[in-house]
Amino acid sequence: MVTLADVAAEAGVSLATASRALNGSSRRVREDLRLRVAEAARKLNYAANAQAQAMARGRSEVVGLLVHDIADPYFSSIAAGVMQAAEEHRLLVTLVSTQRRYGTEAEHLTLLRGQRGRAMILVGSRTRDRDVTEALRREVETFTETGGHVVAVSQRALPIDTVVVENRAGARQLGQELTALGYRRFAALAGPTDLLTARDRLQGFKDGIARAGGDLSPAAVVTGPFTRDGGYAAMTELIARDLRPQCVFAVNDVMAVGAMAACRDHGIELPGDLAVAGFDDISTLRDITPGLTTVRLPLERMGALAMDLVVTAEPGGSPRIRRVRGEVVVRASTPGR
Amino acid sequence: MVTLADVAAEAGVSLATASRALNGSSRRVREDLRLRVAEAARKLNYAANAQAQAMARGRSEVVGLLVHDIADPYFSSIAAGVMQAAEEHRLLVTLVSTQRRYGTEAEHLTLLRGQRGRAMILVGSRTRDRDVTEALRREVETFTETGGHVVAVSQRALPIDTVVVENRAGARQLGQELTALGYRRFAALAGPTDLLTARDRLQGFKDGIARAGGDLSPAAVVTGPFTRDGGYAAMTELIARDLRPQCVFAVNDVMAVGAMAACRDHGIELPGDLAVAGFDDISTLRDITPGLTTVRLPLERMGALAMDLVVTAEPGGSPRIRRVRGEVVVRASTPGR
DNA sequence: TTGTATGCGTTATCAC
DNA sequence: GTGATAACGCATACAA
């Protein structure tokens, strides 16, 4: 491996000069030497050892990114926003995935902490589990106390910079609009009971339809995994309960899409026999039929916002909030009645 | 930041003993000391500085992953496979994205090289561009010469371990089956002209239909970006040409999905007026209508295979190939005639 | 088995 | 403006 010492020798200068020439330090280097060093580096195909730099400088250009499932379009879109912003700021991103084992977030953060990155971005719902949250809080605190920065994208469960998604307000608005479309008897595919995102959306939806005169009986709320297959299973269960709702709300789009598949497989016609709505407006919705009514979130921008909080962080600043509103998008899956 | 020295002091042992106790070196540590050190580490919330470890050991547990667009389901599924395998092997993954600026791969690898990871995985089509390939080759060589390992997922454009996708054979098979279904006049949405994946698939498809008596005139081949919107635009162009093909082949699924949208927007009924087929079998296909005929690739497994090549790499071994065959899946978008 | 001392590649502090 | 040299945090060869 070619080191800075090799470059310095090749250019006939000292290590210090080579370092200054290649990495714009505050000191200036005479132009001819600077060129000699640059030429030597090019010739030797030198790439600075970022680890050594990080040790010497006491800071690194790596940001940790934690998601629950990178193959889920919700997370991959946010990740795309993060990646784009990272490139603009010349930052590198180290990815970890909980694979939806929500209790393992703290462990994954420990792993990231070992990398001594300058910041970590936690994407995805927090849980209601006290022990899990406590472990997470400890981990975040440890990292923060030593100069690291942590940003969350979801809800404010920790005292850190957060891109807050207004799940409740978005779902409430959706509930109101669906009721205004004439639906009264609702059902819900509620996701996991301990995920805050799932809970907030369900609660907001309930508020919205209650305010507008709709009805959602507890029997018409089915829980299940926050995934496409979870939505399929929950919808299957709902069908088995034979409650005949007019409209079903899935707390995220991937579940809604799974639910639609379950309907097809059970001979339920959409939207004739049943209206369906979701939440997120993942990009893949553009191509499913009927078009799914949902609450649009600016996913890529949320990733960029998170990275923005990282690069604008002030040491010792108090937690900042960036609110992201959802916008109801009515499509063919809820034609009204 | 708490260091190993802090832990050693807390436990009342030397730095060396603390090091040996925490990272199963070959030397053994007396049980009571080992426990004292572990307890001190836990109490202080110690996480080893991976960068310092990497420097001292001369190897790291980080793998670089390069993709063209993490929001594209093709790449995010492969990435999910990589992430899963990484977790099993206790490796960390640093992600870089070219954002489909195919010429920037070498630059991105330079960035990764700076991280001194143990390996890099290059996912996605190589190009025909000589200069780009040459820059890439140089970069790979530099990394390899210094003990790094590089694995590609795509085609064998470089003398390195590769998960080879049998694009040609898969597309040929698809062409044959479509012809067997009765289609004769074909069109193709060919992707970018300089992407090897796009070229191979188009060539394979041509071979397949030619062998079976189908026809694809040069005028019925439209190039364009390898994306959903690229497929939409290419299909729009094809419609404008007014060639009235019976069946259109898009060289990947995201383009096919975009093409289907273009058809809807132009009043072309699927599959009645036109049959459509794609390639990859991305997971989102499960939920589009009509079901898209395609060539199924085991995307997650491809990611896992790549990581397997990383962890089983022998220093100085010659390049290994893992072939991945595609399987034709006929769905409602090509009912036959 | 435990401790001491050196080196990993780079930056930064100091002298020149 | 340039050059020695001491950190940075850890692993390990060597000495005890």
Side-chain angles (χ1 to χ4, degrees), chain A residues 14 16-17 20 27 29-30 33 55-56:
Chain A
S14 74
T17 298
R20 294 195 270 254
R27 319 286 285 243
V29 174
R30 225 171 52 212
L33 288 190
M55 284 199 60

Side-chain angles (χ1 to χ4, degrees), chain A residues 1-2 42-47, chain B residues 110 113 116 120 135-148 150:
Chain A
M1 186 69 67
V2 32
R42 204 195 52 69
K43 179 178 169 195
L44 297 179
N45 229 327
Y46 171 74
Chain B
T110 308
R113 180 155 60 93
R116 299 293 189 273
M120 318 201 272
L136 195 58
R137 195 195 57 68
R138 259 180 71 86
E139 187 57 42
V140 165
E141 191 172 294
T142 304
F143 187 67
T144 305
E145 277 172 355
T146 56
V150 185

Side-chain angles (χ1 to χ4, degrees), chain A residues 153-164:
Chain A
V153 178
S154 57
Q155 48 275 125
R156 253 207 108 187
L158 298 168
I160 56 177
D161 285 356
T162 307
V163 177
V164 172

